[in-house]
Amino acid sequence: VVVKCDCGIIKEVSIANLLKNKIKGCGICRSYTNGIGYHPLRSVWGCMKFRCYSVKCKVYKYYGGRGIKVCRQWDESFQEFFDNMGPQPSKKHSLERVNNDGHYEPNNVVWATQEIQCRNTRTNVELTHNGQTMILKDWARETGLANTTLWNRLFTLKWSVERALTTPQRRKRG
């Protein structure tokens, strides 16, 4: 069968190898416009599984090492994964687990930009002041304080949240 890559390169391949996903594209764009064979999201799907199941993955300790798994239907079927997630909205979007301690499964995964994902990490510090809870970065923006100033007040100087948020930042001399 003849296939055409997204970049325009045409080549003849065995239908058996194509259907078994042994053909990975031209080696440049690695995807087909005809929808048969390699799909660009296969690498997203594969990396998701790699993070959860391979101790060789550099970030395994943050995923599989913490007990994060891929649900059975996605683990066994790229098509199920694609049917649930749909196409990637843009190259800036990647998989985001809504509950950072939850598994990769339909009700817990969305497409999100890096900016959105930075708001959903275990390392974010949530602060509550006057009944409102926000992450440290948002409180810094809200108060006009530098992130580092707020961090130092809270964790180096051990100030209370109220004092750290309500004390104006001193101007530098000079």
Side-chain angles (χ1 to χ4, degrees):
V1 66
V2 175
V3 293
K4 180 180 178 185
C5 290
D6 287 341
C7 64
I9 292 176
I10 297 172
K11 71 187 223 180
E12 191 167 327
V13 298
S14 151
I15 189 71
N17 284 341
L18 184 63
L19 294 175
K20 290 178 186 173
N21 204 37
K22 290 186 177 181
I23 308 295
K24 302 293 187 193
C26 69
I28 299 169
C29 72
R30 301 179 67 82
S31 64
Y32 298 116
T33 55
N34 65 5
I36 298 173
Y38 185 80
H39 188 284
L41 290 185
R42 278 197 185 271
S43 62
V44 172
W45 177 67
C47 288
M48 168 186 69
K49 293 172 34 164
F50 187 64
R51 287 190 294 272
C52 293
Y53 300 126
S54 177
V55 294
K56 292 180 181 179
C57 179
K58 290 180 182 179
V59 294
Y60 172 81
K61 65 182 176 184
Y62 303 116
Y63 295 89
R66 290 197 310 121
I68 306 299
K69 296 184 180 348
V70 177
C71 69
R72 186 181 52 77
Q73 67 200 51
W74 286 4
D75 188 36
E76 295 175 357
S77 169
F78 168 75
Q79 189 64 51
E80 284 284 332
F81 169 75
F82 183 76
D83 289 347
N84 287 147
M85 291 304 300
Q88 187 176 15
S90 77
K91 291 289 184 187
K92 292 183 179 182
H93 287 78
S94 59
L95 296 179
E96 161 79 345
R97 283 174 294 115
V98 177
N99 172 357
N100 200 38
D101 293 321
H103 302 298
Y104 284 99
E105 54 194 356
N107 293 328
N108 193 43
V109 181
V110 296
W111 291 113
T113 61
Q114 187 65 37
E115 182 179 343
I116 298 295
Q117 290 191 31
C118 286
R119 301 181 152 301
N120 184 25
T121 67
R122 291 176 293 110
T123 58
N124 270 340
V125 175
E126 287 188 345
L127 305 173
T128 302
H129 176 63
N130 288 339
Q132 186 176 12
T133 302
M134 293 191 289
I135 62 172
L136 186 139
K137 181 178 181 176
D138 291 339
W139 277 116
R141 186 179 302 124
E142 177 86 10
T143 60
L145 297 169
N147 289 355
T148 53
T149 298
L150 195 49
W151 179 269
N152 285 332
R153 287 177 176 185
L154 291 165
F155 302 106
T156 303
L157 300 173
K158 308 288 187 200
W159 287 13
S160 69
V161 171
E162 181 173 354
R163 182 178 177 200
L165 292 173
T166 59
T167 303
Q169 190 165 339
R170 288 191 313 192
R171 294 183 180 208
K172 292 183 180 180
R173 294 182 221 182

